[in-house]
Amino acid sequence: MSAPSFSLLIFAISVFYPLSCSSQTGLLPVVINTWPFTNATAAAWNTLVNKKGSIYDALVDGCSVCEIERCDGSVGPGGSPDENGETTLDAMVMNGQTFDVGAVGCLRRIPKAIAVARAVMDYTEQTLLVGELATQFAVEMGFKEMNLSSDSSITMWKDWKTRNCQPNYRTNVTPDPTKNCGPYKPKSVLESLQQTENRGNKNIGPRNHDTIGMVVIDEHGNITAGTTTNGLNHKIPGRVGDSPIMGAGAYAMNGVGGAVATGDGDVMMRFLPSFLAVSQMAAGVPPGIITKLTIQNIAKYYPKFSGALIAVDNKGTYGELMYCIMSIYRYMAVNSMLMGNDPTTATLSAMTRITDYYLNFHLG
């Protein structure tokens, strides 16, 4: 699609479907991430600017802070139990110059998921490791095992059981998963044809499913993007979300930019929003416009999904868009114009771009 066509489409979107979005022109270096996880942003900036670390050091240090602090209960150990009460982790790191990626999915008993993802990128020719064998790799690389459950996650799981296992992500099974716990068996073909999917009643949002996604660009324009999360509350055991899927949770390309996504990962990964955002920035579409186009495309097919997308180009100009997130959506953006070289000089209000309303509309 040509640039004029994109402009015409955006005009139509703006007139008929007003979107919650913002954009900002900045300077390099830049650190930007989903949600107002201030300490994570400051840690990444401190590593990049004050400690003169690499963009990968900065990304891992920043995201690791969120794993330690258990940001919103949705990052790191101690949150988002699955149907069996176990917490597992997803993470990824991407090199924007070489397109190397390290990722882990359904990582068990290892709390430092983002660091393990980097180890996959640094020490293997593979891209994504999952489950128990990803844990085995982490142990071989020197990471320590621990129980990822907490009193809070155990209580959350027990409460879920007392609510007849609601919310529930099973479909086309018996007993009725909207009213009963398992074990489940497949329905007959006829019964399955009579059931329709309704993702609108799961209340997916920052307290039951979230990700820290981060893009780091240094003063030379080198780019990395990555994510870490403990996934969706009460997910089916073995579920891997969009966060460790390159092009879905995050994507980076030197000379172009990077993007990260958060929200209903089972829907969002079907559209590769981060890859689409970066590829369209490569075609000259500004970040503030491409986030609108990408999210609008998802909403056309899944009008009840919740999600947000951040894109930043290689000059530090960034844009974001959120859709149907039932809370105030905030994200962190830090560059040399806002902070200088000292992360302690910036106030929360200066560091945080706030979108203080949410959308709940349907696309025809």
Side-chain angles (χ1 to χ4, degrees):
M1 184 179 293
S2 67
S5 298
F6 268 111
S7 300
L8 182 60
L9 179 56
I10 280 302
F11 173 78
I13 294 169
S14 299
V15 171
F16 296 107
Y17 307 115
L19 300 174
S20 167
C21 64
S22 65
S23 62
Q24 180 74 19
T25 300
L27 302 171
L28 299 182
V30 63
V31 174
I32 187 167
N33 58 264
T34 55
W35 305 104
F37 301 143
T38 313
N39 292 340
T41 318
W45 181 264
N46 186 49
T47 295
L48 182 66
V49 175
N50 294 341
K51 295 182 179 179
K52 307 300 180 183
S54 72
I55 52 175
Y56 313 107
D57 296 334
L59 179 77
V60 171
D61 287 354
C63 290
S64 293
V65 166
C66 244
E67 291 176 340
I68 294 169
E69 295 184 352
R70 304 183 179 187
C71 292
D72 274 353
S74 59
V75 180
S80 299
D82 65 17
E83 286 184 346
N84 295 333
E86 182 180 3
T87 296
T88 57
L89 308 179
D90 300 338
M92 70 161 284
V93 178
M94 183 167 186
N95 180 325
Q97 180 177 10
T98 65
F99 301 103
D100 287 343
V101 173
V104 290
C106 196
L107 181 67
R108 308 176 73 185
R109 302 187 308 280
I110 303 290
K112 299 180 179 180
I114 190 71
V116 178
R118 183 180 180 181
V120 174
M121 183 176 73
D122 288 347
Y123 303 121
T124 81
E125 295 181 355
Q126 312 288 269
T127 296
L128 172 64
L129 303 181
V130 297
E132 191 65 32
L133 296 180
T135 301
Q136 179 179 316
F137 167 80
V139 171
E140 291 172 354
M141 294 295 102
F143 292 91
K144 303 299 182 184
E145 293 185 75
M146 63 172 278
N147 186 346
L148 300 186
S149 297
S150 65
D151 291 343
S152 175
S153 69
I154 292 171
T155 299
M156 195 183 307
W157 175 67
K158 290 180 178 178
D159 289 345
W160 178 75
K161 297 285 283 188
T162 63
R163 297 194 307 272
N164 295 320
C165 301
Q166 302 304 309
N168 194 295
Y169 301 96
R170 305 273 182 165
T171 61
N172 300 321
V173 295
T174 186
D176 185 350
T178 66
K179 300 176 181 178
N180 302 283
C181 296
Y184 303 101
K185 294 182 179 180
K187 281 185 174 181
S188 67
V189 174
L190 179 61
E191 288 175 313
S192 297
L193 290 174
Q194 295 172 344
Q195 182 169 331
T196 59
E197 181 182 24
N198 179 13
R199 302 190 64 84
N201 63 356
K202 302 299 193 295
N203 296 317
I204 291 176
R207 295 298 177 182
N208 73 346
H209 175 82
D210 193 19
T211 300
I212 180 171
M214 181 178 286
V215 179
V216 180
I217 308 178
D218 67 18
E219 61 184 335
H220 305 294
N222 296 305
I223 307 172
T224 185
T227 62
T228 183
T229 183
N230 54 35
L232 182 64
N233 278 355
H234 319 306
K235 60 196 173 189
I236 298 170
R239 182 259 190 187
V240 174
D242 64 323
S243 296
I245 306 301
M246 55 298 309
Y251 202 78
M253 183 185 298
N254 273 23
V256 178
V260 288
T262 182
D264 187 347
D266 291 289
V267 167
M268 296 182 79
M269 75 167 74
R270 301 169 191 178
F271 296 85
L272 299 178
S274 295
F275 170 76
L276 287 177
V278 173
S279 64
Q280 291 303 319
M281 284 193 293
V285 184
I289 292 179
I290 196 56
T291 52
K292 290 182 182 181
L293 287 172
T294 303
I295 293 296
Q296 191 266 352
N297 185 54
I298 301 173
K300 180 172 65 176
Y301 297 97
Y302 294 92
K304 295 183 180 180
F305 101 100
S306 296
L309 178 66
I310 295 175
V312 55
D313 68 19
N314 62 329
K315 297 179 177 64
T317 302
Y318 53 89
E320 62 85 23
L321 187 137
M322 52 77 67
Y323 177 89
C324 283
I325 292 179
M326 302 306 170
S327 67
I328 294 176
Y329 176 62
R330 300 176 178 179
Y331 65 97
M332 303 298 299
V334 185
N335 58 35
S336 56
M337 181 172 62
L338 289 173
M339 297 188 70
N341 290 330
D342 185 359
T344 64
T345 65
T347 64
L348 178 61
S349 61
M351 292 172 64
T352 309
R353 304 294 178 190
I354 302 175
T355 301
D356 58 2
Y357 52 96
Y358 65 83
L359 302 178
N360 189 5
F361 60 89
H362 299 272
L363 300 180

